[in-house]
Amino acid sequence: MVNVLVPLFVCGLVLVGAAKHKDGDIPQEYQRLISLRSLGVEFAEHFRNASLSDLDLFHPRIPSQEDLICIADMAQFMQALTTGKLWAAKMIDAWGSIPSGLLNGNIYDLGNFDECVKIRKEITSSHSINGKYCFLKVSVGFLPQNVARLTNNMRIASCFPASCSAAHIDAFLGQLMQKLLNSSSTSIQIREATCQTSDLKPWDGMTIFTVVLLGLMGSIVALCTMYDYFLCHDQNQVPVAVKIFSARANSRALFRIVDSKSNPNIISCLDGIRCMSLIWVVFGHEFGYAAGSPNINNLDLVTWFVDPFSSFILYAYFSVDSFFFIGGLLVAMVALRSMEKSKGKLNVPLMYLHRFIRIVPILAVAILVYMNLMTLITDGPLASGEYSGKEACEKGWFWTLLFVQNYATNNICLSHSWYLAVDMQLYIISPLFLIALYKWEKKAAAGIAVLVLLVSSCLFATMMINNYSMLAKNGTVRDAGKKVYFATHTHAAPWLIGFLFGYFLHLSRGKKFHLSRIAVWSGWVLSLAMIFTSIFAMYPAAQWSAPPLSTLEESFYYTLTRVGWPLALCWIVFACMQGYGGLANSFLSSPLWQPLSRLSYSVYMWHMFMQEMNFRLTRTNTYFSDYNVMRDFWSVFGFTLLISYALYITIEAPLGGLGNLIRPQRKTIMQPLAPSEQIETSADVQPLELNDGRNLVEHEVPRIEETAIASEKQ
């Protein structure tokens, strides 16, 4: 989550000066700037009768063929504008202007992207003039310092003939601004990277491979679904291969509701905790994208950062600890019961193999889709570049598939996949803890408790030695994110606490704890106190005018909340299991959470694809407010559910089903199951029989990143 919340923190740093804004005189240059007409109109008026020498494109070099084509097209454009041709008028009409609300942080005028790129005027049978949309970077150095920290680089849309490069346009745009403002403090630049035309880029080999792969999987699923629906009247007689790929069978398993009362081994409240954390993650990421959008009120972020509500977003990374807690709990509780029935046997290689088969395919497909399809399905003023993480994926996709990206590189391919690396690394070492608990029981548990203290001490020492701070106004968030947030050892405490709690539940299974009303109320008060303290403890210090906290104070906060948060969840799960949950248990254990819980891994993997796609499709300026972000969130979340479902039945469920074919039919490795699933074990693990007769093992974990989330394979 830190990669998406960094824009929020960066905005906060940029706006620190603005928070101390004082009234002052507005320079005369600014008054002249806002008095200008549309820059497109000013451009047309200035260069309507410009000559080659006026443009001064070629000095001191000989003009190239590209130079001559650009000049010819510009001449055609100016002539058409003079004679009132519609296509030329559209080219000027598509321009942006000096952004209104400049002093409130509005640094974008997006013009009209579609009007520009759709321009196509045929000049000869072999040549036509097409529109080219580019951003002008206008730097103004005369604004008051507290405002200039944010607004000294405006982005203004422009539209030119596509034959003209950024270098051509740069040659005379400076002349325009010098004439209009007569000020050396204002400069204007244009970069080719910000330019777009209607021409489609040719597909490279990886794009073709991605489309063919998705098309092939979709075709197989469609054929198997039709075979299942039209030819198989008895579901018990459906061939295994057909059932694995059938969208009908996979959908039935996905939306199946399990009665928790029928099986005491089900911890239903984990479904609700997982889904609420998933929603929190997506919600937090949505705020990150909203903060980086072309808002007309960027300076309002000053007050937003110190609102109580913003704490839910700035500290949404606790949702990740919820998933680490659930992951450790399920590993211990399920695997220990399997080992108890198999007399301590644990097939570790097969355990790892099944885990990789369960996680890697959807991750690999996600890398392909993010890298290769983002630019195919999005266009707009902000879509000039590739997917924001494409360079990182081209250089380090293999680190992500090896689940070591959180240590191996600073630029992670699929930034939210860091959670998968941490979770996988903890899963890989889990057999050591499982075997130790089985052999030495409480002594091993005491050793793991000491390990919790050691990793917490390591986190504390890291922050102290490096003088890290997680407060936006202190300026070390980015470094702290990479060194503290992504590291496995700094997230091990929640996972280990969940693991120990799972061991406790294993020892006390079937036992009823009779607690007094005072004990129950005390447990809930302490639990809620730890939760709200984790979220709001930094609120007073986050105020712009508040004195800074010492590194010691922040280190204590960050370290202790890493322990306090999972301890609070321990009580919630325990109370719900023992009948002391009340309304909380009714809400968290609702069967309505079960389908989303199973789909959570797909939702986690694809939600940032939808969010970046929405960002790239933006056509107009936006307004940052809690309400607008919440409205956009539900829209994004709904579409994310649709794409997640489609890719679940196309990729995740079929490949997960194929993974089960390699398992021995009698003895298979124990995998932690979804809390909504009935757990049946024998030997190492007995596969789960679903209601539709499909023999599939549920893969562990609730998986969410930075938010991350684990979905369950049905």
Side-chain angles (χ1 to χ4, degrees):
M1 168 169 286
V2 73
N3 273 3
V4 177
L5 291 182
V6 159
L8 290 174
F9 294 121
V10 171
C11 287
L13 291 172
V14 171
L15 298 172
V16 169
K20 304 175 181 177
H21 174 70
K22 296 180 180 179
D23 289 335
D25 295 333
I26 298 298
Q28 183 179 1
E29 290 88 344
Y30 171 73
Q31 297 179 13
R32 294 189 62 185
L33 184 68
I34 62 175
S35 68
L36 296 177
R37 295 170 291 178
S38 166
L39 285 185
V41 175
E42 298 286 359
F43 169 80
E45 290 295 329
H46 180 64
F47 292 105
R48 187 183 298 272
N49 299 313
S51 64
L52 186 64
S53 59
D54 294 330
L55 296 179
D56 194 23
L57 287 173
F58 312 128
H59 181 76
R61 61 182 177 83
I62 299 175
S64 65
Q65 182 68 23
E66 290 76 14
D67 296 329
L68 297 177
I69 294 176
C70 172
I71 293 300
D73 286 351
M74 287 292 292
Q76 289 280 353
F77 164 58
M78 291 303 178
Q79 181 181 2
L81 189 63
T82 302
T83 57
K85 299 299 183 182
L86 181 61
W87 70 270
K90 285 185 174 181
M91 189 167 286
I92 294 300
D93 188 52
W95 276 62
S97 188
I98 304 302
S100 59
L102 183 61
L103 295 180
N104 198 39
N106 181 18
I107 60 174
Y108 278 93
D109 192 314
L110 303 181
N112 195 313
F113 171 82
D114 297 283
E115 183 179 34
C116 179
V117 298
K118 289 180 180 178
I119 294 174
R120 182 177 178 84
K121 174 60 179 178
E122 185 173 336
I123 304 301
T124 65
S125 58
S126 60
H127 180 66
S128 62
I129 297 178
N130 300 325
K132 182 177 185 177
Y133 180 95
C134 301
F135 270 125
L136 306 180
K137 179 182 177 182
V138 182
S139 300
V140 289
F142 53 75
L143 292 180
Q145 183 178 2
N146 51 2
V147 179
R149 290 190 180 191
L150 183 65
T151 61
N152 63 345
N153 287 316
M154 295 181 290
R155 304 294 194 276
I156 301 174
S158 63
C159 189
F160 294 97
S163 59
C164 294
S165 67
H168 292 140
I169 301 179
D170 250 345
F172 55 84
L173 277 180
Q175 301 176 21
L176 173 64
M177 297 307 295
Q178 183 69 24
K179 174 181 178 294
L180 295 176
L181 297 176
N182 192 27
S183 172
S184 60
S185 63
T186 301
S187 64
I188 187 166
Q189 294 179 328
I190 184 170
R191 294 189 302 111
E192 195 68 40
T194 69
C195 297
Q196 300 178 72
T197 66
S198 59
D199 295 337
L200 298 178
K201 295 180 180 179
W203 290 14
D204 58 18
M206 291 305 298
T207 301
I208 295 173
F209 173 78
T210 303
V211 173
V212 170
L213 174 65
L214 294 177
L216 179 62
M217 292 297 297
S219 299
I220 295 174
V221 169
L223 291 174
C224 290
T225 302
M226 289 188 290
Y227 183 93
D228 181 11
Y229 188 82
F230 292 108
L231 301 179
C232 300
H233 302 291
D234 184 357
Q235 288 298 298
N236 293 324
Q237 302 300 319
V238 179
V240 174
V242 172
K243 185 167 291 187
I244 287 175
F245 288 94
S246 171
R248 183 188 186 190
N250 288 323
S251 297
R252 185 185 295 113
L254 176 65
F255 294 106
R256 180 172 56 93
I257 300 299
V258 177
D259 183 8
S260 60
K261 296 180 181 179
S262 64
N263 191 334
N265 296 317
I266 295 176
I267 310 176
S268 299
C269 65
L270 294 185
D271 281 330
I273 295 175
R274 176 186 297 111
C275 293
M276 292 298 293
S277 296
L278 170 62
I279 292 172
W280 194 6
V281 165
V282 181
F283 191 46
H285 286 172
E286 187 65 25
F287 266 89
Y289 278 99
S293 296
N295 299 308
I296 64 174
N297 62 326
N298 277 318
L299 289 186
D300 287 350
L301 285 168
V302 173
T303 57
W304 181 86
F305 266 93
V306 295
D307 284 342
F309 178 79
S310 66
S311 295
F312 285 106
I313 308 304
L314 299 176
Y315 301 100
Y317 50 74
F318 286 114
S319 58
V320 185
D321 289 346
S322 299
F323 285 97
F324 285 125
F325 166 80
I326 297 175
L329 184 155
L330 294 175
V331 168
M333 188 176 179
V334 178
L336 286 173
R337 190 153 67 92
S338 171
M339 294 174 68
E340 186 178 73
K341 293 187 176 183
S342 62
K343 298 181 180 180
K345 295 180 181 179
L346 189 65
N347 192 333
V348 176
L350 190 57
M351 177 180 175
Y352 292 160
L353 178 61
H354 186 274
R355 175 78 167 205
F356 272 80
I357 292 175
R358 165 66 181 81
I359 298 297
V360 170
I362 195 70
L363 178 59
V365 171
I367 292 174
L368 290 173
V369 171
Y370 274 75
M371 286 180 60
N372 302 304
L373 299 190
M374 181 71 76
T375 55
L376 291 183
I377 61 178
T378 60
D379 63 359
L382 306 177
S384 57
E386 301 285 352
Y387 159 60
S388 59
K390 184 170 184 177
E391 182 179 358
C393 286
E394 289 176 338
K395 294 181 178 179
W397 57 268
F398 48 88
W399 296 126
T400 297
L401 293 181
L402 292 174
F403 299 99
V404 294
Q405 66 269 34
N406 59 326
Y407 286 112
T409 179
N410 288 327
N411 296 315
I412 297 177
C413 175
L414 301 191
S415 59
H416 55 305
S417 69
W418 71 268
Y419 172 86
L420 300 180
V422 175
D423 187 71
M424 179 64 79
Q425 291 161 21
L426 291 170
Y427 186 81
I428 289 175
I429 65 173
S430 64
L432 300 176
F433 301 132
L434 293 170
I435 295 172
L437 283 178
Y438 183 82
K439 289 186 175 182
W440 297 295
E441 299 179 337
K442 294 182 180 179
K443 291 182 180 180
I448 295 175
V450 172
L451 183 58
V452 172
L453 296 177
L454 291 177
V455 295
S456 298
S457 300
C458 180
L459 172 58
F460 180 85
T462 300
M463 296 195 67
M464 286 293 296
I465 294 173
N466 295 282
N467 197 29
Y468 285 147
S469 171
M470 297 303 289
L471 285 175
K473 64 181 184 180
N474 290 344
T476 62
V477 174
R478 187 178 295 273
D479 289 337
K482 293 179 179 179
K483 298 283 183 66
V484 176
Y485 193 72
F486 291 159
T488 299
H489 58 278
T490 60
H491 285 285
W495 191 91
L496 291 171
I497 291 173
F499 189 87
L500 287 176
F501 185 63
Y503 177 61
F504 167 76
L505 295 180
H506 170 71
L507 295 179
S508 60
R509 63 189 184 280
K511 182 179 180 181
K512 178 67 176 178
F513 290 84
H514 299 282
L515 303 180
S516 65
R517 183 179 295 270
I518 295 178
V520 173
W521 275 97
S522 298
W524 277 107
V525 168
L526 290 174
S527 175
L528 294 176
M530 286 189 286
I531 288 175
F532 284 100
T533 298
S534 298
I535 297 174
F536 292 106
M538 302 296 281
Y539 170 71
Q543 305 300 306
W544 299 117
S545 59
L549 291 178
S550 66
T551 303
L552 178 64
E553 291 171 315
E554 284 209 53
S555 300
F556 269 122
Y557 162 78
Y558 201 69
T559 302
L560 294 178
T561 52
R562 279 283 178 264
V563 176
W565 186 271
L567 289 177
L569 295 180
C570 287
W571 167 258
I572 293 175
V573 174
F574 175 80
C576 290
M577 292 180 66
Q578 293 294 321
Y580 302 116
L583 291 176
N585 182 52
S586 299
F587 177 73
L588 295 175
S589 300
S590 171
L592 297 178
W593 294 119
Q594 293 180 23
L596 179 57
S597 180
R598 300 181 185 115
L599 198 61
S600 57
Y601 179 37
S602 286
V603 171
Y604 170 67
M605 291 307 302
W606 300 111
H607 78 278
M608 291 187 70
F609 181 86
M610 292 299 302
Q611 288 172 331
E612 179 154 345
M613 186 178 75
N614 265 15
F615 176 82
R616 293 165 66 92
L617 290 171
T618 300
R619 265 17 184 218
T620 59
N621 288 81
T622 54
Y623 182 83
F624 183 88
S625 70
D626 293 333
Y627 172 78
N628 285 344
V629 176
M630 286 188 280
R631 180 196 62 197
D632 295 341
F633 159 75
W634 288 113
S635 173
V636 168
F637 195 72
F639 280 105
T640 300
L641 289 177
L642 292 178
I643 191 175
S644 298
Y645 169 71
L647 290 167
Y648 174 87
I649 63 175
T650 304
I651 304 294
E652 186 179 355
L655 294 182
L658 287 174
N660 287 291
L661 296 180
I662 69 171
R663 285 188 296 102
Q665 294 300 310
R666 297 185 176 229
K667 290 190 176 183
T668 58
I669 189 60
M670 182 58 186
Q671 295 295 328
L673 307 186
S676 59
E677 299 298 348
Q678 179 176 353
I679 300 172
E680 295 292 339
T681 62
S682 69
D684 289 321
V685 143
Q686 184 68 27
L688 172 67
E689 283 291 329
L690 301 182
N691 287 349
D692 64 356
R694 188 159 57 106
N695 196 17
L696 290 177
V697 172
E698 177 75 30
H699 192 27
E700 178 224 334
V701 207
R703 176 170 324 297
I704 165 175
E705 164 214 9
E706 198 167 69
T707 320
I709 307 150
S711 96
E712 276 69 60
K713 182 61 133 181
Q714 299 302 323

